[in-house]
Amino acid sequence: MPVAYFVGVDVGTGGARAALVTDNGKIVKTAVENIQTWNPQQDFYEQSSDNIWNACVKCIKKVIQGVNPDDVKGLGFDATCSLVAFDKSRNPLSVSPSGNDQQNIILWLDHRASKEAAQINTLNHPVLKYVGGKISLEMETPKLLWLKNHLKHQWDKAGLFFDLPDFLTWKATGCESRSLCSLICKWTYEITTEGSKGWNLSYFQEIGLGDLKEDNWRKIGSKVLPPGTPVGDGLSKTTAEELGLKVGTPVGTSIIDAHAGGLGLVGCRAPNIDSDFSTRLGLICGTSTCHMAVFKTPVFTPGVWGPYYSAMVPGMWLNEGGQSATGKLIDHVIDSHPATHAIRDKIGDMHIQIYLSNLLKNLAKKENLEDEAFLTRDLHVWPDFHGNRSPIADPTLKGTICGLTLAEDEENLALLYLATVQSLAYGTRHILDALIKSGYSSIKSVLICGGLSKNLLFTQTQADVVNLPVICPEEVESVLLGAAILGACAAGHFQDMSTAIKSMGGEGNV
């Protein structure tokens, strides 16, 4: 029987990646390309859609090299929930005070729209109950309002706004359809518990964006498709030739990167672990961490986004918690410590987090402690250096370190590193407790993917703090796997999305 391959493409904060994936979820080949980010002033982070698309093309071409195009049955895309702007001629439109049209993306972690988010939240519109009661400045309507307020001349030129995952499917196919995942999670598109569906005009009018209703909401999405649904007629002639694939190769409706990780995680099998999707909390760990939970009925949790219907798993309600800085926080703590430079000179190619973890074990032995966790009894970190996403939902919060001394040696760095990892685990516990209090009584396990899933100290600390088994998939690239699942669904390779998730989910270790 001929091999069926699917290509999953993931655009993260710092790079684009692609994977060639089989229909049983095995990743055959991967490729990565860095992407550019501008940081013109504090809290402003901008990217280029041209730069990102070119990086995606390079990655796709690398992973399909030597593969018969007939064997590539579908493509799926995921990306960060960043805002992409184009003018009426479909050319990149600057979102930057610099005026550079290459800077046409407001990155997800950009916090320029703090006043706009606060203004929206004072209105207390009913639509906000589906985002935990407060709109986040990381979401798209505050950013759109910032553009209208601060770059009105650019706003008047705008022809299309995309969430980054939807930009990628548009470039691949020429079709302007949008993903239900993007719109319902980040743009306040509604599917309510009462069954109504669509854009809430009163919300947009109240916040000052009622003009987006023009031409049946075309600028932000008049055709909305569930994740994995075929987009248009598949790869356009232009893109197919650019990639070296067949015209019309199916392209799945996209998904946000964390949600792709959730797709890749939720079907992972592990011995003696309940396989029911609603018993699992997925942690997608990267620059930030997203906490994904699905349930058969809607659960409203203060400070946690959702419930979102069919945003990740069809027919199930998604709640999404998160921490705005996790991998980025650990890197910041390490990179800013006086001892780091000397350690890196000493250890060569060894990852500094491995070195620090080994150092902690030696320190625990020296102090006759059963567990290195007790080393931080006098050192504590509050991890919200970039605000709190969930469940406090306050982007103005700042981080705290309690218990500092004048020490600047590597042992001091190791302890600070451990306290930071512990603080992030307690952040997960805080989110989990909020979900349980609101009705998620069935969560029995935690699944982790992303860079931090390779860090044994991080995964063990998570397990200790939440007191649940933590599962790490054998196929560690769950986000790329989730993107490939979208391509498989678009190709009709499986009966439905749930079957694809289970068939491609693979095995995990507790």
Side-chain angles (χ1 to χ4, degrees):
M1 188 174 178
V3 177
Y5 290 120
F6 304 97
V7 175
V9 182
D10 163 56
V11 177
T13 303
R17 303 184 301 158
L20 187 69
V21 186
T22 65
D23 60 0
N24 62 356
K26 296 297 181 184
I27 293 180
V28 177
K29 194 189 306 184
T30 62
V32 62
E33 291 283 335
N34 291 332
I35 56 179
Q36 183 175 3
T37 299
W38 288 266
N39 181 205
Q41 61 192 71
Q42 185 176 353
D43 291 333
F44 283 52
Y45 294 91
E46 299 161 356
Q47 293 183 333
S48 161
S49 62
D50 284 347
N51 174 250
I52 287 174
W53 179 250
N54 290 336
C56 290
V57 169
K58 288 179 182 177
C59 289
I60 294 170
K61 291 176 78 169
K62 285 179 182 177
V63 299
I64 64 170
Q65 188 174 6
V67 175
N68 187 333
D70 290 336
D71 295 334
V72 178
K73 305 298 184 183
L75 294 89
F77 293 88
D78 74 74
T80 65
C81 48
S82 302
L83 178 68
V84 192
F86 289 87
D87 65 20
K88 292 179 173 64
S89 299
R90 305 304 187 253
N91 296 314
L93 178 70
S94 178
V95 294
S96 175
S98 71
N100 179 4
D101 283 328
Q102 280 301 299
Q103 293 164 240
N104 70 319
I105 296 176
I106 301 179
L107 191 60
W108 67 269
L109 58 73
D110 183 291
H111 277 195
R112 72 181 68 184
S114 57
K115 290 182 180 178
E116 285 73 16
Q119 173 192 336
I120 291 169
N121 286 325
T122 62
L123 301 174
N124 200 30
H125 191 279
V127 80
L128 299 183
K129 74 177 184 178
Y130 289 95
V131 290
K134 290 182 181 180
I135 198 82
S136 169
L137 77 176
E138 294 178 7
M139 293 181 177
E140 308 301 11
T141 49
K143 291 174 178 174
L144 289 166
L145 187 57
W146 185 92
L147 284 174
K148 188 173 183 181
N149 288 342
H150 295 271
L151 297 177
K152 184 66 165 56
H153 57 293
Q154 297 296 89
W155 179 263
D156 292 339
K157 295 178 186 176
L160 290 174
F161 294 109
F162 288 103
D163 213 64
L164 183 53
D166 294 325
F167 156 73
L168 297 174
T169 57
W170 174 60
K171 283 292 288 185
T173 67
C175 179
E176 293 179 14
S177 64
R178 308 302 206 279
S179 169
L180 177 65
C181 174
S182 300
L183 296 194
I184 199 171
C185 295
K186 306 301 176 186
W187 294 69
T188 68
Y189 185 88
E190 280 192 309
I191 295 182
T192 68
T193 53
E194 294 79 25
S196 61
K197 178 179 176 181
W199 295 109
N200 190 312
L201 178 59
S202 69
Y203 169 74
F204 282 87
Q205 288 174 330
E206 283 187 28
I207 69 173
L209 294 176
D211 50 335
L212 290 174
K213 182 180 182 295
E214 181 185 347
D215 197 15
N216 190 30
W217 304 93
R218 185 178 179 183
K219 281 185 183 178
I220 60 174
S222 55
K223 183 176 183 180
V224 184
L225 301 174
T229 304
V231 178
D233 297 320
L235 285 181
S236 66
K237 185 175 186 293
T238 300
T239 304
E241 290 176 353
E242 186 176 27
L243 296 175
L245 290 173
K246 293 177 64 176
V247 175
T249 301
V251 174
T253 296
S254 62
I255 204 165
I256 299 165
D257 55 349
H259 302 62
L263 277 186
L265 279 178
V266 75
C268 180
R269 301 175 294 276
N272 304 314
I273 300 295
D274 196 327
S275 62
D276 188 316
F277 293 166
S278 64
T279 67
R280 304 175 148 209
L281 177 68
L283 270 62
I284 296 84
C285 306
T287 303
S288 65
T289 291
C290 294
H291 300 67
M292 317 295 283
V294 291
F295 212 59
K296 297 177 180 67
T297 55
V299 176
F300 291 89
T301 304
V304 175
W305 299 338
Y308 302 130
Y309 184 69
S310 288
M312 190 174 87
V313 178
M316 299 190 80
W317 294 84
L318 169 70
N319 287 88
E320 180 186 352
Q323 294 163 295
S324 294
T326 50
K328 189 176 182 66
L329 177 61
I330 292 172
D331 289 344
H332 171 75
V333 166
I334 293 173
D335 292 343
S336 59
H337 195 277
T340 297
H341 183 73
I343 292 173
R344 287 195 164 126
D345 282 346
K346 179 171 63 174
I347 64 176
D349 293 334
M350 178 187 286
H351 198 294
I352 191 169
Q353 292 180 29
I354 296 175
Y355 179 82
L356 294 174
S357 296
N358 292 336
L359 183 56
L360 288 167
K361 292 175 184 176
N362 293 332
L363 287 172
K365 287 178 183 177
K366 189 185 298 183
E367 295 191 26
N368 294 316
L369 295 173
E370 292 182 11
D371 193 317
E372 58 260 37
F374 297 110
L375 288 166
T376 53
R377 55 191 175 272
D378 298 319
L379 182 62
H380 311 286
V381 173
W382 180 266
D384 295 326
F385 285 44
H386 198 54
N388 182 280
R389 188 185 296 169
S390 309
I392 300 173
D394 184 350
T396 69
L397 280 184
K398 303 295 187 288
T400 300
I401 302 175
C402 177
L404 287 174
T405 70
L406 294 177
E408 295 183 348
D409 55 22
E410 63 179 30
E411 287 81 5
N412 176 261
L413 172 56
L415 295 176
L416 186 56
Y417 164 65
L418 174 58
T420 303
V421 169
Q422 290 171 334
S423 73
L424 294 171
Y426 277 103
T428 295
R429 176 65 180 266
H430 197 185
I431 293 166
L432 180 59
D433 286 348
L435 289 169
I436 291 171
K437 184 177 180 181
S438 300
Y440 269 95
S441 57
S442 63
I443 293 178
K444 300 176 183 177
S445 63
V446 175
L447 298 96
I448 296 183
C449 72
L452 287 173
S453 68
K454 302 165 189 174
N455 183 326
L456 183 58
L457 177 67
F458 180 84
T459 56
Q460 185 61 57
T461 304
Q462 292 279 334
D464 292 343
V465 170
V466 303
N467 197 29
L468 289 172
V470 168
I471 303 163
C472 295
E474 291 178 359
E475 185 51 79
V476 298
E477 300 290 0
S478 297
V479 176
L480 285 168
L481 177 58
I485 287 171
L486 300 174
C489 290
H493 193 77
F494 296 100
Q495 180 181 344
D496 52 34
M497 176 77 83
S498 293
T499 305
I501 292 169
K502 293 174 181 176
S503 300
M504 298 179 71
E507 307 287 339
N509 300 306
V510 180

